[in-house]
Amino acid sequence: MGAMLVAFSVAPSVSGDDGSVTDAVADAVRIVRESGLPNHTDAMFTTIEGDWDECMDVVRRCVEAVAVHGPRVSLVLKADVRPGRTGELTAKIERLESRL
């Protein structure tokens, strides 16, 4: 399978005393950044770019890291599979901005 963008959100089912899942999310984002894959994190999702195996390995490791924080993990994932394309993490935004 070729290049893809994967946007995902992962969080434990149980939050801290203040309702925050920041520590768990930070553990996941650390894995993403250490993966070396192009990535972007915003308030709702983290997006990574790579091939199928690379992306799914990072997602799996993030889920495992978050699972340490609670007995259940929520994962939301959306993928844009574009064989033969690279650099789409920024190129898609650049194409949009050029039309605005």
Side-chain angles (χ1 to χ4, degrees):
M1 182 83 31
M4 65 192 310
L5 294 175
V6 175
F8 69 102
S9 172
V10 60
S13 59
V14 180
S15 60
D17 293 338
D18 63 352
S20 175
V21 295
T22 303
D23 290 339
V25 172
D27 287 348
V29 171
R30 189 172 298 107
I31 289 167
V32 168
R33 292 184 179 173
E34 290 173 355
S35 76
L37 295 179
N39 65 85
H40 171 80
T41 299
D42 60 38
M44 296 294 293
F45 289 94
T46 293
T47 304
I48 55 177
E49 182 172 14
D51 70 27
W52 184 271
D53 291 336
E54 292 171 325
C55 290
M56 292 305 146
D57 178 62
V58 169
V59 170
R60 178 189 53 77
R61 290 187 290 131
C62 289
V63 168
E64 290 170 350
V66 168
V68 171
H69 295 269
R72 194 170 182 181
V73 176
S74 170
L75 172 66
V76 176
L77 183 143
K78 181 173 182 176
D80 180 4
V81 181
R82 300 198 62 178
R85 301 289 291 260
T86 60
E88 290 298 303
L89 188 65
T90 55
K92 288 178 80 169
I93 301 302
E94 290 167 359
R95 287 192 298 272
L96 172 63
E97 290 296 334
S98 73
R99 286 163 178 82
L100 293 175

